[in-house]
Amino acid sequence: MTIRLYDQDARLLDFTATVRACRQTDGGYRVALDRTAFFPEGGGQGADHGTLGGVRVLDVHDADGEVWHWTDGPLEAGMQVQGHVDGARRLSMMQQHSGEHIFSGLVHKLYGYDNVGFHIGSEAVTMDFNGPLSQEDVQRVETLANEAVWANLPVQITHPSPQEREHMAYRSKKALTGDVRIVQIPGVDTCACCGTHVGQTGSVGQIKVIGMQKYKSGVRISILCGVRALAQENAVQRQVHRAAVVLSARQEEVADAVDRLLAERDALRARCDALGMQVFSLMAGQEEGHSIRVVACAALPASQARKAAGQLCIGARMGLVLVPREEGWSFACSSQTEDVRPATRALCEAFGGRGGGPQDMTQGVLGKADVEAIRAALEKA
């Protein structure tokens, strides 16, 4: 079985090992060593990456006590190789995992909920708790979690005996037997865990909640820690700065500036809709006397086409409103006296469109076509 050097020292990045086996797989090779510092994917934590004897380690998995390294090149059994773990990825994984322990431990301590699901994803670290938390609860835990980081508490790794565990309170998702690895942060958390962790909580850097949503009977919390939290905050800061420049506002006033801008937009949209309907009414007046009325109005918002068609058909057999779009027309067809669905199908077949609705009002889109050609097709339908 592989000797797991990362279990002895999570800071170890460079090591020497002997290749025990190398097997070709689809798209690469998998290599077993007599010992390794590469952490295999498990317990919600992703695998380490790096290099091994000059080839890249792309993934690492555990199978029946053997740690298998997925590589992009072969290594000869019996040869001695130098391994190097990607330090930036390892540090990030340790920060995320230790931060999750701090947060989950505090939720358990304060509210009695268990973390029933944990994953270090590419976007965030997610934790699923089996009980509800309010926004105020989550903010409280975030504050206390960062206070634990600032206290620079030791992160202690132990392998207590079964007898010692009988008198130990610790978090675990399932009953455990045999050798159990316990990660303890004094006053914050005690949890069974196989992952890599920082030596002191101060190395987590910071813990930032970035999302919260209802999940089953509980809640899913998303966090980022350390280098990933800083990167996310910098990205948000850049966006806020850009918005502040565009809005000619101070950064702390961006939300108020956006509210004002949206209010102005809504007022302008209402005026535009009203003007569009006025233009449409003038054009509709030219259709009086026709039993089939067709109005193509670029000034009319597409959202108002249904209302306009309802007005256009008054006193006529049928009214068709056309609003230009990038590739043809949006339409609304209405009648007070007959079923407009057959006419709608005929138009869609003739001009490559689609649409539907109840018998007195249909809506859809048509391909590019001359307005008079559409009128002629409607009159024949």
Side-chain angles (χ1 to χ4, degrees), residues 18 35 53 75 84 95 99 178 196 198 214 221-222 226 238 241 253 259 282 295 332 342 346 362 364 373 378-379:
T18 299
R35 60 189 204 142
L75 295 171
H84 174 71
Q95 289 178 326
T196 56
V198 298
K214 180 175 173 56
I221 305 296
S222 300
R238 286 192 294 271
H241 174 72
E253 297 173 348
D259 286 342
L282 292 173
V295 172
T362 58
L378 187 61
E379 290 175 345

Side-chain angles (χ1 to χ4, degrees), residues 134-208:
S134 67
Q135 187 68 48
E136 292 73 20
D137 294 334
V138 173
Q139 289 175 353
R140 179 190 180 196
V141 175
E142 181 188 67
T143 298
L144 293 174
N146 280 286
E147 287 177 356
V149 171
W150 304 330
N152 200 28
L153 302 169
V155 180
Q156 301 164 342
I157 308 294
T158 60
H159 294 261
S161 67
Q163 294 74 25
E164 289 172 322
R165 293 202 307 273
E166 289 181 1
H167 305 286
M168 179 182 294
Y170 62 92
R171 293 190 300 116
S172 177
K173 292 184 176 66
K174 59 182 179 180
L176 301 173
T177 59
D179 183 38
V180 176
R181 185 173 184 263
I182 299 293
V183 177
Q184 184 175 28
I185 303 170
V188 176
D189 187 41
T190 302
C191 183
C193 179
C194 65
T196 56
H197 291 273
V198 298
Q200 303 281 140
T201 59
S203 296
V204 173
Q206 64 171 312
I207 300 172
K208 184 60 189 173

Side-chain angles (χ1 to χ4, degrees), residues 2-10 12-13 15 35-50 57-62 67-70 84-86 89-90 93-94 97 118 120 181 193-197:
T2 311
I3 298 173
R4 301 165 189 255
L5 301 174
Y6 58 82
D7 196 7
Q8 304 168 17
D9 184 1
L12 180 66
L13 301 178
F15 67 100
R35 60 189 204 142
T36 185
F38 284 91
F39 177 81
E41 179 181 350
Q45 178 177 330
D48 282 329
H49 295 172
V57 176
L58 307 174
D59 206 356
V60 189
H61 290 275
D62 188 341
V67 177
W68 290 96
H69 308 72
W70 266 250
H84 174 71
V85 177
D86 181 337
R89 180 177 172 85
R90 165 67 69 81
M93 286 293 180
M94 291 194 300
H97 205 154
F118 156 65
I120 302 176
R181 185 173 184 263
C193 179
C194 65
T196 56
H197 291 273

Side-chain angles (χ1 to χ4, degrees), residues 188-263:
V188 176
D189 187 41
T190 302
C191 183
C193 179
C194 65
T196 56
H197 291 273
V198 298
Q200 303 281 140
T201 59
S203 296
V204 173
Q206 64 171 312
I207 300 172
K208 184 60 189 173
V209 175
I210 63 169
M212 172 183 173
Q213 64 186 84
K214 180 175 173 56
Y215 181 75
K216 296 183 178 178
S217 61
V219 63
R220 172 171 289 175
I221 305 296
S222 300
I223 65 171
L224 287 175
C225 306
V227 292
R228 291 183 65 180
L230 179 62
Q232 196 263 356
E233 288 161 357
N234 284 338
V236 171
Q237 177 64 26
R238 286 192 294 271
Q239 293 297 318
V240 172
H241 174 72
R242 287 181 56 192
V245 171
V246 171
L247 296 169
S248 299
R250 294 164 58 185
Q251 292 189 26
E252 60 269 27
E253 297 173 348
V254 164
D256 291 337
V258 170
D259 286 342
R260 289 194 297 271
L261 189 65
L262 291 177

